[in-house]
């Protein structure tokens, strides 16, 4: 993509309404545009990052055996009356009526709708286990939306829902999502720590929030330092092996970890001071088992091997992709701007032409631009006529992992400068060496 043809509305000044780093940098980098209170347009740069985040989520959900669907944003109130939640949910639910005066709502979550789908089609235990997920927009009328996409009213959510014959099956499903989440966040360059979460009136012990440590985190969190060295399961993980998956979950839930609301001072006091980590944290995912909370009132039952009807045991598993973008920025930035992990960066490399109009510089940049594209890389070519300082500032602000800097002196010497955004390291390479590093197509 040529920057001269791209829509990248950079802001030079810090927006006054932005209270935290991610909100400020997303506005300055031209990633989002606020359309209303807690409502944002994802501009081209932001949309590219969002797509990368969703693709990783999708790949890991599929790897764990979940099946993707797509449910509507507008739901019938009747389903929510069946579950008993319609009148209890509160003012966060946006209630509306259609032209026929039927009660409708803009979905804040999808337990009722997915349970209705399940009960319509699944009648036997032989069709279990089943896990259905989608990536869809949600709306919750927050009383005080703030921090940009970190806490908006309209947001993108990956929500998965598991259905099993009994608690043991549901626990195995829960464990698969647990391990899937570990892999998902690691692939995005995040170190997420699963912390036991409050299960509310439903009870039980199957609820975890996945927290990343960040100075601007919303809540205080506590954990054993062992979490910082625990190995994350690799691609070879066998999600069909319940014992293997259960062992991973045990390893990741044995050391102490708790949010402020679940913190146990007595247990904390038993941990040596040198092994304690007390920090601010941002929630990036939440998994939750709720058993028959929806299947029983909505009559979602299957015939078991004993010939009897069994209400299915369910769980839900959420990740907010729009929120994740902000969390990644909170965890990875410096004074100059965003530092994207390579897996979610909007572009892999930016080629910076230091003297647009110079035949030698223009020619080499075009050659490098074509070579990077041929190598399968997503490349941004800064072919604008702004000053060198402005080009460098833009490249640092939007956080592209690699910068290839092309200037007249370097071209004459057959060299370019390559900068690694994360470390700031600069390396002078010959043009031939750079092209060779791109592979045979380069």
């Amino acid at each position: 993509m040529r920057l001269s043809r791209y829509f990248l509305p950079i802001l030079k000044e810090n927006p006054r309404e932005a209270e935290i780093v991610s909100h400020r940098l997303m506005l300055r980098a031209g990633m989002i545009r606020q359309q209303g209170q807690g409502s944002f347009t994802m501009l081209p740069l932001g949309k590219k990052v969002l797509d990368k985040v969703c693709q990783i989520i999708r790949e890991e959900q599929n790897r764990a055996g979940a099946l993707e669907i797509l449910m509507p944003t507008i739901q019938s109130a009747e389903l929510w009356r069946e579950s008993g939640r319609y009148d209890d949910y509160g003012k966060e639910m946006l209630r509306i009526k259609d032209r026929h005066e039927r009660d409708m709502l803009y979905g804040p979550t999808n337990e009722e709708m997915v349970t209705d789908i399940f009960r319509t089609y699944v009648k036997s235990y032989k069709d279990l286990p089943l896990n259905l997920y989608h990536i869809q927009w949600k709306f919750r009328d927050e009383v005080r939306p703030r921090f940009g996409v970190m806490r908006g009213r309209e947001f993108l959510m990956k929500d998965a829902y598991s259905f099993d014959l009994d608690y043991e099956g549901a626990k195995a499903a829960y464990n698969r999502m647990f391990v899937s989440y570990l892999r998902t966040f690691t692939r995005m360059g995040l170190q997420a720590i699963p912390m036991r979460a409050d299960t509310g009136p439903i009870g039980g012990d199957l609820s975890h929030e996945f927290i990343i440590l960040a100075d601007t985190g919303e809540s205080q969190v506590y954990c054993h330092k062992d979490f910082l060295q625990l190995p994350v399961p690799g691609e070879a993980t066998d999600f069909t092996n319940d014992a293997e998956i259960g062992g991973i979950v045990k390893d990741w839930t044995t050391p102490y970890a708790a949010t402020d609301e679940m913190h146990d001072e007595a247990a904390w006091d038993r941990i040596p001071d040198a092994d304690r980590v007390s920090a601010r944290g941002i929630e990036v995912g939440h998994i939750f088992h709720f058993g028959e909370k929806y299947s029983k009132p909505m009559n979602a039952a299957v015939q078991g091997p004993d010939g009897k009807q069994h209400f299915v045991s369910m769980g839900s598993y959420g990740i907010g992709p729009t929120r994740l973008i902000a969390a990644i920025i909170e965890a990875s930035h410096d004074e100059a701007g965003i530092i994207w992990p390579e897996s979610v960066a909007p572009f892999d490399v930016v080629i910076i032409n230091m003297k647009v109009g110079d035949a030698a510089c223009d020619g080499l940049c075009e050659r490098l631009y074509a070579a990077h594209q041929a190598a399968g890389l997503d490349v941004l070519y800064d072919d604008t006529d702004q000053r060198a300082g402005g080009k460098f500032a833009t490249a640092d602000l939007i956080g592209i992992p690699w910068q290839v800097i092309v200037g007249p002196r370097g071209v004459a010497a057959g060299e370019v400068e390559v900068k690694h955004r994360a470390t700031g390291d600069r390396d002078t390479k010959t043009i031939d060496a750079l092209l060779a590093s791109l592979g045979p197509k380069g």
Side-chain angles (χ1 to χ4, degrees):
M1 173 57 65
R2 298 175 188 274
L3 185 54
S4 61
R5 300 177 186 173
Y6 200 54
F7 182 55
L8 188 67
I10 296 292
L11 300 180
K12 294 183 179 180
E13 303 295 329
N14 285 326
R16 284 183 294 180
E17 71 270 24
E19 299 178 58
I20 62 173
V21 170
S22 58
H23 189 191
R24 181 168 68 246
L25 289 178
M26 290 182 77
L27 287 170
R28 286 199 56 215
M31 294 180 65
I32 57 174
R33 161 71 178 172
Q34 184 163 340
Q35 302 299 150
Q37 192 177 34
S39 178
F40 297 86
T41 291
M42 301 300 295
L43 300 178
L45 196 75
K47 179 62 164 53
K48 282 180 72 70
V49 176
L50 184 62
D51 287 346
K52 295 279 187 77
V53 166
C54 287
Q55 185 57 29
I56 291 174
I57 292 171
R58 185 172 281 115
E59 288 172 3
E60 293 303 327
Q61 288 293 287
N62 296 347
R63 188 193 304 273
L67 301 171
E68 186 172 10
I69 61 175
L70 185 60
M71 291 178 274
T73 57
I74 303 298
Q75 303 183 30
S76 167
E78 291 309 308
L79 289 176
W80 285 66
R81 289 191 173 108
E82 275 193 70
S83 72
R85 283 208 299 174
Y86 184 73
D87 294 322
D88 296 340
Y89 199 87
K91 292 185 177 180
E92 287 76 18
M93 180 189 288
L94 181 62
R95 294 167 169 84
I96 55 180
K97 289 182 181 291
D98 67 9
R99 66 192 301 160
H100 302 292
E101 294 299 310
R102 289 178 294 217
D103 290 327
M104 311 291 285
L105 58 101
Y106 194 121
T109 183
N110 280 76
E111 282 84 358
E112 284 82 0
M113 184 173 283
V114 77
T115 302
D116 179 56
I117 292 168
F118 175 87
R119 70 182 177 182
T120 302
Y121 298 108
V122 182
K123 306 299 182 183
S124 170
Y125 75 96
K126 295 179 181 179
D127 296 320
L128 302 179
L130 182 64
N131 189 321
L132 302 175
Y133 80 95
H134 73 160
I135 300 175
Q136 180 60 289
W137 292 96
K138 301 284 190 290
F139 188 92
R140 294 175 188 171
D141 199 0
E142 295 276 356
V143 64
R144 190 186 173 201
R146 56 196 301 228
F147 303 149
V149 298
M150 185 73 78
R151 181 172 290 179
R153 294 199 300 169
E154 188 173 3
F155 54 93
L156 196 61
M157 175 66 72
K158 187 287 303 182
D159 37 328
Y161 303 92
S162 62
F163 302 85
D164 289 271
L165 181 64
D166 51 28
Y167 175 79
E168 287 305 312
K171 185 174 182 180
Y174 183 94
N175 288 346
R176 286 192 289 274
M177 286 293 99
F178 187 107
V179 174
S180 175
Y181 275 37
L182 290 177
R183 285 190 43 76
T184 298
F185 300 128
T186 297
R187 286 186 58 188
M188 295 179 193
L190 296 172
Q191 188 169 43
I193 300 171
M195 300 191 175
R196 191 167 55 89
D198 187 8
T199 56
I202 299 170
D205 60 355
L206 291 184
S207 181
H208 286 88
E209 294 177 1
F210 287 77
I211 304 289
I212 65 166
L213 305 183
D215 292 339
T216 52
E218 303 164 289
S219 57
Q220 188 70 24
V221 296
Y222 308 84
C223 69
H224 196 288
K225 75 172 185 180
D226 283 356
F227 276 110
L228 306 181
Q229 285 86 38
L230 279 176
V232 174
E235 285 190 25
T237 302
D238 183 2
F239 280 93
T240 66
N241 187 330
D242 290 346
E244 177 185 340
I245 298 298
I248 295 169
V249 173
K250 183 177 180 181
D251 290 342
W252 277 85
T253 53
T254 298
Y256 182 83
T259 58
D260 200 20
E261 60 186 13
M262 297 293 289
H263 185 48
D264 182 341
E265 282 290 348
W268 185 245
D269 289 341
R270 291 193 291 270
I271 301 173
D273 288 347
D275 293 335
R276 297 180 185 177
V277 176
S278 176
R280 306 297 294 178
I282 300 172
E283 179 191 336
V284 291
H286 192 178
I287 61 177
F288 188 56
H289 168 258
F290 45 70
E292 300 175 355
K293 177 177 173 62
Y294 300 95
S295 62
K296 198 167 186 178
M298 297 186 70
N299 196 30
V302 297
Q303 185 179 48
D306 56 3
K308 298 179 180 179
Q309 292 292 306
H310 298 259
F311 294 116
V312 289
S313 188
M314 294 174 57
S316 67
Y317 316 91
I319 294 176
T322 39
R323 179 185 178 87
L324 254 179
I325 296 175
I328 292 168
I329 295 172
E330 292 291 334
S332 186
H333 68 273
D334 60 17
E335 291 183 357
I338 303 165
I339 304 174
W340 290 116
E342 294 192 17
S343 60
V344 296
F347 296 95
D348 300 306
V349 59
V350 54
I351 297 171
I352 301 174
N353 188 339
M354 298 290 290
K355 194 171 183 181
V356 175
D358 178 89
C361 285
D362 291 349
L364 178 57
C365 284
E366 292 290 347
R367 184 182 173 195
L368 293 175
Y369 183 44
H372 280 80
Q373 288 181 315
L377 296 172
D378 203 350
V379 55
L380 179 66
Y381 172 26
D382 187 346
D383 60 343
T384 64
D385 59 0
Q386 68 173 320
R387 289 184 170 186
K391 288 174 180 275
F392 292 143
T394 295
D396 283 346
L397 174 62
I398 64 177
I400 309 306
W402 296 95
Q403 301 173 15
V404 177
I405 302 161
V406 179
R409 189 177 302 174
V411 173
E415 297 174 339
V416 294
E417 189 175 33
V418 178
K419 177 184 173 181
H420 187 213
R421 176 68 180 93
T423 63
D425 292 342
R426 294 173 179 263
D427 184 24
T428 299
K429 290 189 174 184
T430 67
I431 295 167
D432 289 341
L434 177 59
L435 292 171
S437 71
L438 299 177
K441 293 181 180 179

